[in-house]
């Protein structure tokens, strides 16, 4: 595609519910990243995929958060038993290869998650 | 892990130069980045500098790196209203792919 797309653009849910956030990377990009940006803060690294596998998931805050990328393209970030503190903008980025030497990270517009 | 800090706000008049400052903690960072975030738009990589450089110039942008003091700055010459945005300094930690961002500096350009 022309750029990284994320759906939905906005998601409002109730505390305790399950949500899925989707990321469509740029076609051909092998690396995919998820970040979380809280109000007034910079993006915070969550997880990084190289192909289908999660190469680094050290940023996931707890086991309620999980992400998959089964075919090495689209990725889904899944959050179970949502809490009010999960409210943030979730950003996805992709790059041609891993790291800056492999190309810059191109960011999507984000999904704004609000947990009531 | 890496810790990146920036001042929160900068206001300049159109046509003046803007200087946004950043400090970081991980001396092994091989690259340092500047990103721009405009309202309703995604993050955009503005420029980056290798740690073995002390200056990089790209049109109106000049990046200065003081590796000894772990200080990075972004200078925007002839600042325009279209430069109004939040600017993030970022550094890799634990590998190129894991990037730590600062809190962002909101640049306000007064016409």
């Amino acid at each position: 595609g022309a750029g990284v797309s994320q759906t939905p653009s906005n998601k409002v849910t109730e505390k305790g519910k399950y949500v899925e956030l989707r990321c469509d990377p740029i076609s051909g990009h092998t690396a995919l990243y998820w970040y979380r940006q809280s109000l007034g803060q910079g993006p915070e690294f969550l997880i990084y995929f190289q192909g289908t596998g999660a190469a680094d998931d050290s940023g996931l805050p707890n086991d309620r958060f999980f992400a998959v990328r089964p075919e090495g393209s689209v990725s889904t970030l899944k959050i179970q038993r949502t809490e009010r503190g999960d409210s943030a903008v979730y950003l996805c980025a992709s790059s041609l290869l891993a790291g800056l030497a492999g190309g810059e990270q191109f960011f999507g517009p984000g999904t704004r998650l609000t947990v009531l | 892990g890496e810790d990146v800090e920036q001042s929160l706000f900068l206001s300049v008049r159109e046509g003046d130069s803007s200087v946004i400052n950043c400090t970081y903690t991980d001396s092994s960072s091989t690259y340092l980045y500047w990103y721009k975030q405009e309202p309703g738009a995604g993050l955009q990589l503005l420029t980056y500098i290798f740690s073995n450089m002390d200056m990089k110039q790209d049109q109106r942008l000049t990046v200065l790196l003081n590796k000894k003091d772990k200080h990075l700055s972004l200078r925007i010459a002839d600042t325009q209203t279209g430069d109004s945005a939040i600017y993030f300094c970022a550094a890799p930690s634990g590998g190129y792919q894991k990037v730590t961002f600062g809190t962002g500096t909101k640049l306000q350009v007064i016409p």
Side-chain angles (χ1 to χ4, degrees):
Chain A
V4 178
S5 62
Q6 294 186 245
T7 54
S9 55
N10 279 284
K11 176 70 178 178
V12 180
T13 191
E14 292 179 343
K15 181 174 176 294
K17 298 290 188 183
Y18 168 83
V19 296
E20 289 189 351
L21 311 179
R22 176 187 167 107
C23 172
D24 275 276
I26 293 172
S27 178
H29 280 194
T30 61
L32 185 144
Y33 315 77
W34 283 101
Y35 295 84
R36 177 171 69 175
Q37 187 174 18
S38 300
L39 192 64
Q41 300 295 317
E44 175 192 13
F45 171 85
L46 295 178
I47 186 169
Y48 150 68
F49 287 89
Q50 179 58 43
T52 60
D56 184 345
D57 64 357
S58 61
L60 294 177
N62 51 59
D63 60 8
R64 294 187 298 105
F65 288 75
F66 189 71
V68 295
R69 194 185 185 200
E71 296 177 0
S73 178
V74 170
S75 176
T76 304
L77 179 65
K78 307 180 181 194
I79 310 174
Q80 298 177 319
R81 305 183 304 280
T82 51
E83 299 177 357
R84 292 195 181 88
D86 298 336
S87 296
V89 175
Y90 289 82
L91 297 169
C92 177
S94 70
S95 66
L96 189 58
L97 295 169
L100 182 66
E104 71 176 88
Q105 293 185 25
F106 292 86
F107 282 81
T111 293
R112 182 176 298 278
L113 175 66
T114 304
V115 182
L116 300 176
Chain B
E2 180 75 87
D3 188 26
V4 179
E5 296 201 356
Q6 305 175 234
S7 54
L8 294 179
F9 188 76
L10 176 66
S11 180
V12 300
R13 292 209 171 273
E14 189 174 17
D16 288 350
S17 292
S18 308
V19 180
I20 301 171
N21 295 301
C22 167
T23 58
Y24 60 98
T25 57
D26 187 351
S27 58
S28 67
S29 294
T30 50
Y31 302 87
L32 293 142
Y33 315 118
W34 283 104
Y35 282 83
K36 179 181 181 182
Q37 187 174 44
E38 295 178 273
L43 276 165
Q44 174 194 0
L45 179 65
L46 268 184
T47 187
Y48 63 91
I49 188 168
F50 293 96
S51 61
N52 62 357
M53 298 170 66
D54 52 20
M55 187 180 87
K56 179 180 179 181
Q57 186 148 7
D58 184 1
Q59 299 182 333
R60 291 191 298 121
L61 304 178
T62 303
V63 179
L64 295 178
L65 174 61
N66 182 328
K67 198 173 177 183
K68 176 177 169 288
D69 293 340
K70 300 190 189 74
H71 182 269
L72 182 73
S73 68
L74 174 69
R75 178 177 179 269
I76 306 172
D78 187 26
T79 312
Q80 303 296 307
T81 55
D83 295 324
S84 293
I86 300 176
Y87 291 81
F88 292 95
C89 172
S93 55
Y96 300 131
Q97 59 273 13
K98 186 174 177 179
V99 176
T100 299
F101 286 80
T103 52
T105 300
K106 184 172 183 178
L107 175 64
Q108 179 189 50
V109 182
I110 303 165

